[in-house]
Amino acid sequence: MPTGTDEPFTLVIFGASGDLTRRKLVPALWSLYAGRTLPEPFAIIGSARSEVSHDEFRRRMREAVREFARTQPPSANVWDRFAASLSYVAGDPANPALYAQLEHAMKAIEGARSGPTNRLFYFATPPSLYDAIVENLGASGLAHPQGGWTRIIVEKPFGHDYESARALNSQLGRVFREDQIYRIDHYLGKETVQNLLVLRFANEIFEPLWNRNHVAEIQITVAESIGVETRGAYYEEAGALRDMVQNHLLQLLCLIAMEPPVTFDASPVHDEKNKVMHAIRPIDPRKVDEVALRGQYGPGFVGGKPVPGYRQEKGVAPDSKTETYAALRLTVDNWRWAGVPFYLRTGKRMAKRVSEIAIRFHRTPHMIFHRDPAGVEPNELVIRIQPDEGMALTVAAKTPGPDLKLGPVGLDFRYGEVFGAEPPEAYERLLLDAVHGDSTLYARADWVEKAWWLLGPVLDAWIQASAPAPYLYEANSWGPSEADAFIARDGGAWRKA
Ligand code: BG6
């Protein structure tokens, strides 16, 4: 957990002209600063190929904050103070000369302030540049702590399959120690995802129920209403399985399924998550269809306006087989979860933007109010990650009237209503954690590799030329109808989120 201690640091962002910097990183840093939680003194050096003056960079970041930040500057003065910490160094990350320039810029900043030399390098570039950045940080000596700490934050994708993830990890490991490497998965920084851990491990009432004796099934849904937007070229290479399941959805599964860690610190949490990964039943390459299904959105209407199908998006092949929807049925083979199916689904251009985890409990063993116990809905705990952050527990209640009729009612906690504020952005928490040296909510190397290994048979099956095309679904729908049949095989149904 952040200690709240102030210490100077310098953050270098590679890929400072990109979307991530504009939409997430600088708005998050600004919000931290505005909320007085960013350690000071700090400096942020943006770096990218384009020649941009310091002032122009500051102006662009002002725009980014206006458009994307959670909080707006209360006055020009406050913004100016923040902006004074922003600077820019142009250069090609593949060129060693850039690193001499960066060192020069950092030393000038550090020379003007006291305290240790703490440096954080953020990889916000396309992953094809990671090798060069790591190599150059190593060769220039910048990877070594200089009387303080030196850390890197690496954005996903961490490779595109098991082999490439291992290669990336060993490349990083040649230059950095594991405790210097922060692999970011922004889902872990979401407020409600952290709340899930608090719900499980700070309350006595849930943990005794959190097992196969009481839980019938778990559904994890991350549905997006947007399409691939401007990222067609990236998405063609990725697809929903790589883009969302390998990281965000499997991370959620681990947090739901893991045993209580001894403390909420990096090693115990990572160890428990890894145990879950080891307990997930490996996917039989001959039976991929039984546990995985893919879909692709076709054209449709959103808000009455026509939207293109995936194959008509910019940067997408007209005969693309890339999946924009993926559903999985996973089994966690351990004492706690034996026999409980974990259903995961994610998709773009779905009917609604919603991320949630639904835990459905068993029906009561004997129903005294109805002849037909199936007529009473089982209890369900839904953790809403976004939007409308919160959680709801449905219980059976008597409906008003002379007859003894039952109906489900929700015990609902809404984050916004209770705390009266929107939760902070995931990047705020995670950036702060990296500055404070806390990697609990980051992904460890072995977890990442295991996640790729687990999905390998599905990736291999779907890449085959002979593999059937993904099932088509209409934009603004709940995915292909085949996905309903997929879950119905076990007698279940997708939750209507
Ligand atoms: C990213 C994916 O990791 O997560 C995107 O690359 C996706 O394709 C995004 O849109 C979803 O994040 P969020 O926070 O909007 O749910």
Side-chain angles (χ1 to χ4, degrees), residues 296-298 308-313 316-321 469-470 472:
Q296 190 186 69
Y297 66 81
Y310 176 68
R311 290 180 177 187
Q312 289 84 51
E313 301 275 18
V316 173
D319 58 351
S320 169
K321 280 182 166 183
L472 212 62

Side-chain angles (χ1 to χ4, degrees), residues 155-474:
E155 268 291 332
K156 78 181 221 335
F158 314 116
H160 57 270
D161 58 12
Y162 177 62
E163 292 304 334
S164 54
R166 276 174 52 115
L168 175 61
N169 279 335
S170 71
Q171 163 79 340
L172 294 172
R174 273 198 290 275
V175 174
F176 295 96
R177 293 190 317 268
E178 180 63 20
D179 67 1
Q180 292 181 285
I181 307 169
Y182 287 68
R183 294 174 194 79
I184 199 163
D185 183 315
H186 77 285
Y187 264 63
L188 294 176
K190 288 185 189 274
E191 196 80 347
T192 342
V193 173
Q194 296 169 61
N195 229 332
L196 157 64
L197 294 173
V198 175
L199 174 88
R200 281 196 63 192
F201 302 128
N203 292 290
E204 172 63 18
I205 60 169
F206 295 109
E207 201 50 28
L209 305 178
W210 215 261
N211 57 54
R212 68 191 173 85
N213 297 325
H214 301 280
V215 175
E217 69 161 50
I218 294 181
Q219 289 191 19
I220 302 177
T221 300
V222 178
E224 297 185 272
S225 49
I226 53 169
V228 291
E229 303 193 300
T230 52
R231 300 163 74 219
Y234 153 77
Y235 203 85
E236 274 288 85
E237 300 295 314
L241 203 66
R242 287 189 169 92
D243 189 43
M244 300 293 286
V245 179
Q246 186 274 339
N247 34 71
H248 310 322
L249 277 87
L250 284 178
Q251 287 284 2
L252 295 179
L253 184 154
C254 283
L255 298 183
I256 286 285
M258 73 183 187
E259 296 301 314
V262 177
T263 55
F264 190 53
D265 290 308
S267 285
V269 171
H270 290 308
D271 289 347
E272 293 306 336
K273 280 165 48 184
N274 274 7
K275 283 190 211 160
V276 177
M277 294 301 272
H278 282 97
I280 297 177
R281 187 178 302 169
I283 295 170
D284 183 339
R286 291 159 308 178
K287 295 185 181 161
V288 166
D289 289 351
E290 288 178 17
V291 296
L293 175 140
R294 62 176 170 165
Q296 190 186 69
Y297 66 81
F301 289 85
V302 174
K305 295 209 178 91
V307 292
Y310 176 68
R311 290 180 177 187
Q312 289 84 51
E313 301 275 18
K314 199 163 161 265
V316 173
D319 58 351
S320 169
K321 280 182 166 183
T322 300
E323 80 285 358
T324 61
Y325 173 100
L328 287 185
R329 177 193 196 280
L330 296 177
T331 315
V332 180
D333 284 336
N334 61 17
W335 276 48
R336 188 186 280 267
W337 297 115
V340 179
F342 284 72
Y343 297 105
L344 277 55
R345 66 175 161 163
T346 183
K348 295 219 180 263
R349 278 275 184 249
M350 304 277 280
K352 195 170 155 190
R353 174 175 182 247
V354 58
S355 295
E356 61 162 44
I357 300 166
I359 295 145
R360 200 160 53 73
F361 292 90
H362 288 303
R363 294 178 185 285
T364 47
H366 171 67
M367 178 50 66
I368 62 169
F369 301 111
H370 281 243
R371 291 249 169 74
D372 173 16
V376 179
E377 290 296 313
N379 300 114
E380 194 166 47
L381 176 67
V382 178
I383 298 159
R384 291 187 305 266
I385 296 167
Q386 64 190 25
D388 189 20
E389 290 80 357
M391 57 188 79
L393 178 66
T394 55
V395 297
K398 180 188 172 305
T399 53
D403 299 336
L404 216 171
K405 282 196 178 147
L406 308 192
V409 294
L411 310 177
D412 210 340
F413 151 67
R414 284 164 199 274
Y415 192 101
E417 272 173 25
V418 174
F419 296 116
E422 288 299 306
E425 283 283 326
Y427 276 92
E428 296 176 34
R429 168 65 195 252
L430 295 174
L431 281 163
L432 203 55
D433 280 1
V435 172
H436 287 299
D438 182 352
S439 63
T440 311
L441 298 175
Y442 281 81
R444 201 166 69 186
D446 44 0
W447 189 98
V448 171
E449 290 176 14
K450 188 72 187 172
W452 281 119
W453 181 86
L454 199 72
L455 297 179
V458 186
L459 293 169
D460 290 346
W462 288 355
I463 201 83
Q464 300 303 319
S466 56
Y471 298 115
L472 212 62
Y473 60 97
E474 199 182 334

